[in-house]
Amino acid sequence: MLRDLAMNLRSIALPQVLFALATLTLTLTAGCGPRATSTEAKAPSPVASESHRLKPVTGIQDIMASMVDPAADHLWESVATVATEKGVEEKRPKTDEDWKAVRSQAVILAEAANLLMVEGRPVAKEGAILEDHGVPGNLTAAESEQAIAADRAAFIGFAEALREVGVTMLTAADRKDTQALFDAGYPLDEVCEACHLKFWYPGAKALEEQQRALRANQ
């Protein structure tokens, strides 16, 4: 009788044990799988573009006066023929220090061009006027800013061209290529003058032509 009771208990317990083991296996399998964390469940927030992180501190006039003009002058004068009382002097970068100085100015020129393209940069900081304010044919800071806003694509094009000249001069400095540095001087002058005639002193050319005509008629 005890044997029959044991057999009955065994027959009842086995299905329950099997069911429990199956349930435990499913639970462990689910627990070992990847879980979606709260961070993964949320859609990533859009990252602000680099241009939106840039905050202009100074005006275009400051970039020109502090970076572009000094760098351009140094690069132009690094390869030049100068006539003095002692005779003709051929200026060329000769030493490693000379080329290092040329390279530094080329870096400044190229990167200054990038700074000119930062959105929201005014022509002159608030309350300031252009250095040559009032010169006939020249725009005021406000007028220059309006001209740039009206044709920003052209302004960006000039800045990109300036950057490319800077890169050319930088490459010339790295190669210590005097001729390439000299050859880049002309496009540097050309892009600067073209930009100035459109956005800085557009009336200067017309005034010059008028004065030339007046002199011819005298």
Side-chain angles (χ1 to χ4, degrees):
M1 185 174 179
L2 290 174
R3 183 178 179 182
D4 293 338
L5 179 60
M7 290 292 292
N8 289 336
L9 288 173
R10 211 175 294 164
S11 63
I12 293 174
L14 183 58
Q16 292 176 340
V17 170
L18 291 175
F19 177 77
L21 287 173
T23 303
L24 179 60
T25 301
L26 289 174
T27 302
L28 290 174
T29 302
C32 294
R35 295 184 180 182
T37 64
S38 58
T39 303
E40 294 173 342
K42 296 179 180 178
S45 58
V47 179
S49 65
E50 292 298 326
S51 61
H52 293 163
R53 294 180 181 179
L54 301 177
K55 181 180 179 181
V57 175
T58 61
I60 291 173
Q61 176 176 235
D62 293 313
I63 300 296
M64 294 298 297
S66 301
M67 300 177 71
V68 176
D69 289 349
D73 287 343
H74 183 99
L75 292 164
W76 275 319
E77 295 169 4
S78 63
V79 182
T81 301
V82 182
T84 66
E85 295 178 355
K86 298 180 180 179
V88 178
E89 178 188 356
E90 297 290 342
K91 294 187 64 177
R92 302 286 187 272
K94 297 180 178 67
T95 66
D96 289 343
E97 287 301 313
D98 291 341
W99 281 111
K100 184 178 179 181
V102 169
R103 189 182 193 281
S104 295
Q105 297 306 314
V107 169
I108 292 172
L109 184 69
E111 293 296 354
N114 284 327
L115 294 178
L116 292 174
M117 291 186 278
V118 173
E119 293 183 12
R121 187 183 301 284
V123 168
K125 59 185 179 181
E126 189 175 357
I129 61 174
L130 298 181
E131 293 179 358
D132 53 1
H133 179 82
V135 174
N138 287 20
L139 300 179
T140 65
E143 290 170 339
S144 179
E145 200 157 314
Q146 290 171 2
I148 292 173
D151 196 354
R152 184 162 179 80
F155 179 78
I156 295 298
F158 286 129
E160 289 176 338
L162 178 64
R163 181 180 61 196
E164 289 308 306
V165 175
V167 171
T168 299
M169 289 182 156
L170 177 59
T171 302
D174 287 338
R175 296 176 179 175
K176 297 183 179 180
D177 188 336
T178 303
Q179 187 60 48
L181 182 62
F182 176 80
D183 291 342
Y186 177 74
L188 173 58
D189 179 67
E190 193 175 40
V191 67
C192 289
E193 184 64 13
C195 184
H196 295 165
L197 281 172
K198 185 173 180 63
F199 296 114
W200 185 7
Y201 42 74
K205 190 172 183 179
L207 286 173
E208 184 180 343
E209 291 175 354
Q210 290 175 3
Q211 291 172 356
R212 188 181 298 112
L214 288 173
R215 288 193 297 269
N217 293 329
Q218 287 178 352

Short mmCIF file of all heavy atoms in Angstrom, two decimals, residues 143-183:
data_model
loop_
_atom_site.label_atom_id
_atom_site.label_comp_id
_atom_site.label_asym_id
_atom_site.label_seq_id
_atom_site.Cartn_x
_atom_site.Cartn_y
_atom_site.Cartn_z
N GLU A 143 25.76 100.06 -44.51
CA GLU A 143 25.56 99.84 -45.95
C GLU A 143 26.31 98.60 -46.42
O GLU A 143 25.81 97.83 -47.24
CB GLU A 143 26.01 101.07 -46.73
CG GLU A 143 25.10 102.28 -46.55
CD GLU A 143 25.70 103.55 -47.13
OE1 GLU A 143 26.94 103.60 -47.31
OE2 GLU A 143 24.93 104.49 -47.40
N SER A 144 27.52 98.42 -45.91
CA SER A 144 28.30 97.24 -46.26
C SER A 144 27.60 95.97 -45.79
O SER A 144 27.56 94.95 -46.51
CB SER A 144 29.69 97.34 -45.64
OG SER A 144 30.46 96.20 -45.95
N GLU A 145 27.05 96.02 -44.60
CA GLU A 145 26.34 94.86 -44.05
C GLU A 145 25.11 94.53 -44.90
O GLU A 145 24.80 93.36 -45.14
CB GLU A 145 25.94 95.15 -42.61
CG GLU A 145 25.64 93.89 -41.82
CD GLU A 145 25.79 94.11 -40.32
OE1 GLU A 145 26.78 94.72 -39.89
OE2 GLU A 145 24.88 93.67 -39.60
N GLN A 146 24.41 95.57 -45.35
CA GLN A 146 23.25 95.36 -46.22
C GLN A 146 23.67 94.75 -47.55
O GLN A 146 22.98 93.87 -48.09
CB GLN A 146 22.53 96.69 -46.44
CG GLN A 146 21.82 97.23 -45.20
CD GLN A 146 21.29 98.64 -45.40
OE1 GLN A 146 21.42 99.22 -46.48
NE2 GLN A 146 20.70 99.20 -44.36
N ALA A 147 24.80 95.20 -48.07
CA ALA A 147 25.28 94.67 -49.36
C ALA A 147 25.64 93.19 -49.23
O ALA A 147 25.35 92.39 -50.12
CB ALA A 147 26.49 95.48 -49.82
N ILE A 148 26.25 92.83 -48.12
CA ILE A 148 26.62 91.43 -47.89
C ILE A 148 25.37 90.57 -47.74
O ILE A 148 25.29 89.46 -48.29
CB ILE A 148 27.53 91.30 -46.66
CG1 ILE A 148 28.89 91.94 -46.94
CG2 ILE A 148 27.71 89.83 -46.26
CD1 ILE A 148 29.80 92.02 -45.73
N ALA A 149 24.39 91.07 -47.00
CA ALA A 149 23.14 90.32 -46.80
C ALA A 149 22.40 90.13 -48.12
O ALA A 149 21.78 89.09 -48.35
CB ALA A 149 22.26 91.06 -45.79
N ALA A 150 22.48 91.13 -49.00
CA ALA A 150 21.78 91.05 -50.28
C ALA A 150 22.43 90.05 -51.23
O ALA A 150 21.76 89.49 -52.12
CB ALA A 150 21.74 92.43 -50.93
N ASP A 151 23.72 89.81 -51.08
CA ASP A 151 24.42 88.86 -51.95
C ASP A 151 25.46 88.10 -51.13
O ASP A 151 26.66 88.15 -51.40
CB ASP A 151 25.10 89.60 -53.11
CG ASP A 151 25.51 88.65 -54.24
OD1 ASP A 151 25.37 87.43 -54.06
OD2 ASP A 151 25.99 89.14 -55.28
N ARG A 152 24.97 87.37 -50.15
CA ARG A 152 25.88 86.64 -49.26
C ARG A 152 26.64 85.54 -50.01
O ARG A 152 27.78 85.21 -49.67
CB ARG A 152 25.12 86.04 -48.08
CG ARG A 152 26.03 85.35 -47.07
CD ARG A 152 25.40 85.14 -45.73
NE ARG A 152 26.32 84.45 -44.83
CZ ARG A 152 27.33 85.04 -44.17
NH1 ARG A 152 27.51 86.34 -44.30
NH2 ARG A 152 28.12 84.34 -43.38
N ALA A 153 26.01 85.00 -51.04
CA ALA A 153 26.68 83.95 -51.82
C ALA A 153 27.98 84.48 -52.43
O ALA A 153 29.00 83.77 -52.45
CB ALA A 153 25.75 83.44 -52.91
N ALA A 154 27.95 85.72 -52.92
CA ALA A 154 29.16 86.30 -53.50
C ALA A 154 30.21 86.53 -52.41
O ALA A 154 31.40 86.28 -52.62
CB ALA A 154 28.83 87.62 -54.19
N PHE A 155 29.76 87.00 -51.25
CA PHE A 155 30.70 87.23 -50.14
C PHE A 155 31.37 85.92 -49.73
O PHE A 155 32.59 85.87 -49.52
CB PHE A 155 29.96 87.84 -48.96
CG PHE A 155 30.83 88.09 -47.76
CD1 PHE A 155 31.68 89.18 -47.72
CD2 PHE A 155 30.81 87.23 -46.67
CE1 PHE A 155 32.50 89.41 -46.62
CE2 PHE A 155 31.62 87.44 -45.58
CZ PHE A 155 32.46 88.54 -45.55
N ILE A 156 30.57 84.85 -49.62
CA ILE A 156 31.12 83.54 -49.26
C ILE A 156 32.09 83.07 -50.33
O ILE A 156 33.14 82.49 -50.04
CB ILE A 156 29.99 82.52 -49.07
CG1 ILE A 156 29.11 82.89 -47.87
CG2 ILE A 156 30.56 81.11 -48.90
CD1 ILE A 156 29.82 82.89 -46.55
N GLY A 157 31.77 83.33 -51.60
CA GLY A 157 32.65 82.95 -52.69
C GLY A 157 34.01 83.63 -52.59
O GLY A 157 35.05 82.99 -52.80
N PHE A 158 34.00 84.94 -52.26
CA PHE A 158 35.26 85.66 -52.10
C PHE A 158 36.07 85.09 -50.92
O PHE A 158 37.29 84.93 -51.00
CB PHE A 158 35.00 87.15 -51.87
CG PHE A 158 34.58 87.89 -53.11
CD1 PHE A 158 33.45 88.69 -53.10
CD2 PHE A 158 35.31 87.79 -54.28
CE1 PHE A 158 33.06 89.38 -54.24
CE2 PHE A 158 34.93 88.48 -55.43
CZ PHE A 158 33.80 89.28 -55.41
N ALA A 159 35.37 84.79 -49.81
CA ALA A 159 36.06 84.25 -48.63
C ALA A 159 36.66 82.89 -48.93
O ALA A 159 37.78 82.57 -48.50
CB ALA A 159 35.09 84.16 -47.46
N GLU A 160 35.93 82.07 -49.69
CA GLU A 160 36.46 80.75 -50.05
C GLU A 160 37.68 80.88 -50.97
O GLU A 160 38.64 80.12 -50.85
CB GLU A 160 35.36 79.93 -50.74
CG GLU A 160 34.26 79.49 -49.79
CD GLU A 160 33.14 78.77 -50.50
OE1 GLU A 160 32.97 78.95 -51.73
OE2 GLU A 160 32.40 78.01 -49.83
N ALA A 161 37.63 81.85 -51.89
CA ALA A 161 38.77 82.08 -52.77
C ALA A 161 39.99 82.54 -51.97
O ALA A 161 41.12 82.13 -52.24
CB ALA A 161 38.40 83.11 -53.83
N LEU A 162 39.74 83.39 -50.97
CA LEU A 162 40.82 83.85 -50.10
C LEU A 162 41.42 82.68 -49.34
O LEU A 162 42.65 82.56 -49.21
CB LEU A 162 40.29 84.90 -49.12
CG LEU A 162 41.30 85.46 -48.10
CD1 LEU A 162 42.41 86.22 -48.81
CD2 LEU A 162 40.59 86.37 -47.09
N ARG A 163 40.57 81.79 -48.86
CA ARG A 163 41.06 80.60 -48.14
C ARG A 163 41.92 79.73 -49.05
O ARG A 163 42.97 79.23 -48.62
CB ARG A 163 39.87 79.80 -47.61
CG ARG A 163 40.26 78.55 -46.82
CD ARG A 163 39.02 77.82 -46.35
NE ARG A 163 38.22 77.38 -47.48
CZ ARG A 163 36.94 76.99 -47.37
NH1 ARG A 163 36.34 77.02 -46.19
NH2 ARG A 163 36.27 76.60 -48.43
N GLU A 164 41.50 79.56 -50.30
CA GLU A 164 42.26 78.73 -51.23
C GLU A 164 43.64 79.33 -51.51
O GLU A 164 44.64 78.60 -51.63
CB GLU A 164 41.49 78.56 -52.54
CG GLU A 164 40.26 77.67 -52.42
CD GLU A 164 40.59 76.33 -51.77
OE1 GLU A 164 41.52 75.65 -52.28
OE2 GLU A 164 39.94 75.97 -50.78
N VAL A 165 43.71 80.66 -51.61
CA VAL A 165 45.02 81.30 -51.79
C VAL A 165 45.89 81.05 -50.56
O VAL A 165 47.09 80.78 -50.68
CB VAL A 165 44.86 82.82 -52.02
CG1 VAL A 165 46.23 83.49 -52.07
CG2 VAL A 165 44.12 83.08 -53.32
N GLY A 166 45.28 81.14 -49.38
CA GLY A 166 46.02 80.86 -48.15
C GLY A 166 46.55 79.44 -48.13
O GLY A 166 47.70 79.20 -47.72
N VAL A 167 45.73 78.49 -48.59
CA VAL A 167 46.17 77.09 -48.64
C VAL A 167 47.32 76.92 -49.64
O VAL A 167 48.28 76.19 -49.38
CB VAL A 167 44.98 76.18 -49.02
CG1 VAL A 167 45.46 74.75 -49.29
CG2 VAL A 167 43.93 76.17 -47.91
N THR A 168 47.23 77.61 -50.77
CA THR A 168 48.30 77.55 -51.77
C THR A 168 49.61 78.07 -51.19
O THR A 168 50.68 77.48 -51.39
CB THR A 168 47.92 78.39 -53.00
OG1 THR A 168 46.73 77.84 -53.59
CG2 THR A 168 49.04 78.37 -54.04
N MET A 169 49.52 79.17 -50.46
CA MET A 169 50.72 79.75 -49.85
C MET A 169 51.25 78.85 -48.73
O MET A 169 52.47 78.75 -48.53
CB MET A 169 50.42 81.15 -49.33
CG MET A 169 50.22 82.16 -50.45
SD MET A 169 49.93 83.83 -49.85
CE MET A 169 50.47 84.79 -51.29
N LEU A 170 50.36 78.21 -48.02
CA LEU A 170 50.77 77.28 -46.97
C LEU A 170 51.52 76.10 -47.58
O LEU A 170 52.57 75.66 -47.06
CB LEU A 170 49.55 76.80 -46.19
CG LEU A 170 49.78 75.76 -45.10
CD1 LEU A 170 50.73 76.29 -44.04
CD2 LEU A 170 48.44 75.37 -44.45
N THR A 171 51.00 75.58 -48.69
CA THR A 171 51.67 74.48 -49.38
C THR A 171 53.04 74.91 -49.89
O THR A 171 54.02 74.16 -49.79
CB THR A 171 50.80 73.99 -50.55
OG1 THR A 171 49.52 73.57 -50.06
CG2 THR A 171 51.47 72.82 -51.27
N ALA A 172 53.10 76.13 -50.41
CA ALA A 172 54.39 76.65 -50.90
C ALA A 172 55.39 76.76 -49.76
O ALA A 172 56.58 76.46 -49.94
CB ALA A 172 54.18 78.01 -51.56
N ALA A 173 54.92 77.19 -48.61
CA ALA A 173 55.82 77.30 -47.46
C ALA A 173 56.32 75.94 -47.01
O ALA A 173 57.50 75.77 -46.67
CB ALA A 173 55.10 78.01 -46.31
N ASP A 174 55.44 74.96 -46.99
CA ASP A 174 55.84 73.61 -46.59
C ASP A 174 56.88 73.03 -47.56
O ASP A 174 57.76 72.27 -47.17
CB ASP A 174 54.62 72.69 -46.52
CG ASP A 174 53.74 72.99 -45.31
OD1 ASP A 174 54.26 73.56 -44.34
OD2 ASP A 174 52.54 72.65 -45.35
N ARG A 175 56.76 73.39 -48.82
CA ARG A 175 57.70 72.89 -49.83
C ARG A 175 58.90 73.82 -50.03
O ARG A 175 59.78 73.52 -50.83
CB ARG A 175 56.97 72.72 -51.17
CG ARG A 175 55.86 71.66 -51.14
CD ARG A 175 55.12 71.62 -52.46
NE ARG A 175 54.08 70.59 -52.45
CZ ARG A 175 53.20 70.40 -53.44
NH1 ARG A 175 53.25 71.17 -54.52
NH2 ARG A 175 52.30 69.45 -53.36
N LYS A 176 58.84 74.97 -49.35
CA LYS A 176 59.88 75.99 -49.52
C LYS A 176 60.03 76.36 -51.00
O LYS A 176 61.14 76.46 -51.54
CB LYS A 176 61.21 75.51 -48.93
CG LYS A 176 61.14 75.29 -47.42
CD LYS A 176 62.47 74.89 -46.84
CE LYS A 176 62.35 74.70 -45.31
NZ LYS A 176 63.63 74.31 -44.70
N ASP A 177 58.86 76.58 -51.61
CA ASP A 177 58.79 76.87 -53.05
C ASP A 177 58.60 78.38 -53.22
O ASP A 177 57.48 78.90 -53.15
CB ASP A 177 57.62 76.10 -53.66
CG ASP A 177 57.60 76.18 -55.18
OD1 ASP A 177 58.15 77.14 -55.74
OD2 ASP A 177 57.01 75.28 -55.80
N THR A 178 59.70 79.07 -53.47
CA THR A 178 59.65 80.53 -53.59
C THR A 178 58.79 80.98 -54.77
O THR A 178 58.02 81.94 -54.65
CB THR A 178 61.08 81.09 -53.76
OG1 THR A 178 61.88 80.68 -52.65
CG2 THR A 178 61.06 82.60 -53.83
N GLN A 179 58.91 80.30 -55.90
CA GLN A 179 58.16 80.71 -57.09
C GLN A 179 56.65 80.55 -56.87
O GLN A 179 55.86 81.42 -57.27
CB GLN A 179 58.60 79.87 -58.30
CG GLN A 179 58.00 80.33 -59.62
CD GLN A 179 58.38 81.76 -59.97
OE1 GLN A 179 59.54 82.13 -59.90
NE2 GLN A 179 57.39 82.58 -60.34
N ALA A 180 56.24 79.45 -56.25
CA ALA A 180 54.81 79.24 -55.98
C ALA A 180 54.27 80.29 -55.03
O ALA A 180 53.14 80.76 -55.17
CB ALA A 180 54.59 77.84 -55.41
N LEU A 181 55.09 80.67 -54.07
CA LEU A 181 54.69 81.72 -53.12
C LEU A 181 54.53 83.05 -53.84
O LEU A 181 53.56 83.78 -53.62
CB LEU A 181 55.74 81.83 -52.01
CG LEU A 181 55.47 82.84 -50.90
CD1 LEU A 181 54.19 82.49 -50.14
CD2 LEU A 181 56.65 82.89 -49.93
N PHE A 182 55.46 83.35 -54.74
CA PHE A 182 55.40 84.58 -55.51
C PHE A 182 54.18 84.58 -56.44
O PHE A 182 53.46 85.58 -56.54
CB PHE A 182 56.68 84.74 -56.34
CG PHE A 182 56.67 85.93 -57.25
CD1 PHE A 182 56.93 87.21 -56.76
CD2 PHE A 182 56.39 85.78 -58.60
CE1 PHE A 182 56.90 88.31 -57.60
CE2 PHE A 182 56.36 86.87 -59.45
CZ PHE A 182 56.62 88.15 -58.95
N ASP A 183 53.95 83.48 -57.11
CA ASP A 183 52.82 83.38 -58.05
C ASP A 183 51.48 83.55 -57.36
O ASP A 183 50.52 84.05 -57.97
CB ASP A 183 52.85 82.03 -58.77
CG ASP A 183 54.04 81.90 -59.73
OD1 ASP A 183 54.61 82.95 -60.09
OD2 ASP A 183 54.38 80.76 -60.09
#
